[in-house]
Amino acid sequence: MRELLKLVGCEFKKLRRKRFIKLTIAAACLFPTPLIIAMAKDGQSFIQLFRAVVMFDDILFLPCVLGIIAIILFSMEQDSDTLKNLLVIPVSKINIFLTKLTVLFLLSLIYTLAAYVASLIGGLIIGKISDIPFLFSVSIGLGIFVFLATVPVIAIIIVCNKSKVFSIIIVLIYAVLGFVTVQTIGRGSVLDRLTFALPICITGKWYLGIVPVEQALSYILPYTLSTPVAFGLLAAYGIAFTLLSLFSYKRTEI
């Protein structure tokens, strides 16, 4: 465990030099600004603001960010040709893999909490704020669920082992398709059938079931998922694709 914690610290030190990380955290905080302005004009409630921020910041933006950071993390050693040096120390490939996955998990929590803080600031601006402890717990849950929902695309990146451009395209397609599918929940569209095939949609169905919705959106409630069901499904996805990723990563040529 100590070795893993040290490795996590080293990974964060390496990422600290990457402008992309700082820019995306700043974006997570600034992204809600247009929503805050629009909802302040329309007199929307704080819950509506929070729900909108989550939809765009966590359901759409975060999987893209985690996927791209995964590309950076899993290509660092290959790009600098330092993987063989790490293995000589020795550090096992399993520990290296688990370290990178832990970093992604922690970043997922950081981003969802950044969106939560941005929502609170927006609530103060529109003059409405409520359910602070409950929404904090929801944000923690979103950090966990979105991370699990992103593990499959991380597996695709590792298994395919293609160029960074190809990997980024796969990440964007995965995130956008998941976001669009969430928007079709309960509408009987063809995309609605992809619910259980896309982990991001499972996250959206859990989230929409746990956060209060107004009467106009009550039609989606029969299609939402309870916390145990959503977590069970996402955990199954996470475990299966983590094992697949690990198997592929261990076979990576030095």
Side-chain angles (χ1 to χ4, degrees):
M1 181 59 72
R2 279 185 185 177
E3 181 184 356
L4 185 61
L5 290 175
K6 287 181 181 179
L7 289 172
V8 169
C10 290
E11 290 292 339
F12 270 110
K13 285 179 182 178
K14 287 190 285 186
L15 285 176
R16 193 170 58 187
R17 298 194 293 267
K18 302 287 184 180
R19 288 185 179 180
F20 178 79
I21 309 298
K22 298 175 183 177
L23 289 173
T24 50
I25 292 177
C29 295
L30 296 175
F31 197 76
T33 303
L35 294 173
I36 293 169
I37 294 172
M39 291 192 162
K41 289 181 178 179
D42 294 341
Q44 303 274 354
S45 68
F46 174 64
I47 289 293
Q48 288 174 307
L49 170 63
F50 181 81
R51 194 171 65 242
V53 168
V54 166
M55 279 296 171
F56 288 96
D57 230 347
D58 296 338
I59 302 296
L60 175 61
F61 181 68
L62 183 53
C64 294
V65 171
L66 290 181
I68 294 173
I69 294 175
I71 295 169
I72 294 171
L73 283 173
F74 285 100
S75 64
M76 275 183 174
E77 286 76 24
Q78 282 81 6
D79 291 346
S80 57
D81 196 25
T82 57
L83 182 57
K84 60 181 70 176
N85 296 335
L86 288 174
L87 297 177
V88 169
I89 292 176
V91 178
S92 70
K93 275 191 173 183
I94 294 176
N95 279 349
I96 295 173
F97 175 82
L98 293 177
T99 296
K100 295 179 185 298
L101 220 56
T102 301
V103 169
L104 289 169
F105 171 68
L106 293 175
L107 285 173
S108 183
L109 290 175
I110 290 170
Y111 280 105
T112 52
L113 290 177
Y116 168 75
V117 171
S119 298
L120 292 182
I121 295 172
L124 292 174
I125 292 173
I126 66 176
K128 302 171 184 178
I129 193 168
S130 60
D131 300 319
I132 297 176
F134 168 68
L135 295 181
F136 175 80
S137 65
V138 170
S139 296
I140 295 293
L142 281 165
I144 297 170
F145 281 25
V146 173
F147 166 74
L148 291 173
T150 310
V151 170
V153 79
I154 295 172
I156 294 172
I157 292 168
I158 296 172
V159 172
C160 292
N161 196 23
K162 299 292 184 181
S163 68
K164 290 182 181 178
V165 174
F166 174 83
S167 297
I168 290 172
I169 292 172
I170 292 297
V171 167
L172 294 177
I173 291 174
Y174 180 81
V176 171
L177 186 58
F179 175 77
V180 171
T181 307
V182 172
Q183 307 308 309
T184 65
I185 292 173
R187 296 182 183 179
S189 68
V190 175
L191 287 175
D192 201 20
R193 299 174 187 174
L194 294 174
T195 294
F196 295 104
L198 290 171
I200 294 175
C201 193
I202 294 173
T203 302
K205 294 187 84 168
W206 165 77
Y207 168 70
L208 291 172
I210 198 170
V211 174
V213 296
E214 54 271 23
Q215 186 63 34
L217 292 176
S218 60
Y219 69 91
I220 67 174
L221 295 178
Y223 300 93
T224 57
L225 298 172
S226 66
T227 300
V229 171
F231 179 75
L233 290 169
L234 290 171
Y237 269 110
I239 293 169
F241 282 96
T242 295
L243 293 175
L244 176 62
S245 303
L246 180 56
F247 176 76
S248 180
Y249 187 73
K250 286 174 67 176
R251 297 181 62 185
T252 304
E253 293 182 4
I254 300 175

